[in-house]
Amino acid sequence: MSTPTGPVDLDAVRHTLETTVMVDQVEIRRPTGTAPLDADTGLVGPVPTVLVWSGNGAVLSAHGLAAVEHLVGGRWLDDTASWYGLVTPLAAPLPERGDLVTVTAAASPTAGTVGRTWQALDPAEASTVEVARITRLDEVVLQ
């Protein structure tokens, strides 16, 4: 990993992330109520949600997050305890704990993320100097 010798151009880092990493379409949905019970089957239905945000982003594994550090030329994310992270532009709202993230379209046909859903483990990370929104995720299986 290289160490910058001068000031970091945060606008350039943001641009690089938004044009080379955040190339998939993602939705962030917030649970809004209680899952209904189907009296006939005894099964619990899906929890109602409301769309919080839809736009460009990326769901990256911990390995993918580390690879992005090399792309932008420096460390911009601490090690994560969770396996996945959502990367969204600064213009996106801050996801909250429990929000559901789904990849609706992927730029790469081999991404393997389309249709999969993750739950935000914590509120999106924040700091004085930001280049993207980072939210730790855990994959969930929706029925």
Side-chain angles (χ1 to χ4, degrees), residues 128-142:
T128 300
V129 178
E130 292 184 303
V131 293
R133 301 267 184 243
I134 307 298
T135 307
R136 296 171 194 236
L137 303 174
D138 188 30
E139 190 166 9
V140 295
V141 178
L142 299 178

Side-chain angles (χ1 to χ4, degrees), residues 64-119:
L65 290 167
V68 170
E69 288 181 0
H70 295 289
L71 177 69
V72 298
R75 189 165 189 79
W76 60 282
L77 176 68
D78 287 333
D79 291 334
T80 175
S82 60
W83 190 249
Y84 293 98
L86 170 66
V87 183
T88 53
L90 293 178
L94 290 168
E96 295 178 3
R97 179 179 286 125
D99 282 355
L100 299 174
V101 175
T102 302
V103 176
T104 58
S108 170
T110 60
T113 55
V114 174
R116 291 168 71 175
T117 300
W118 294 263
Q119 183 177 43

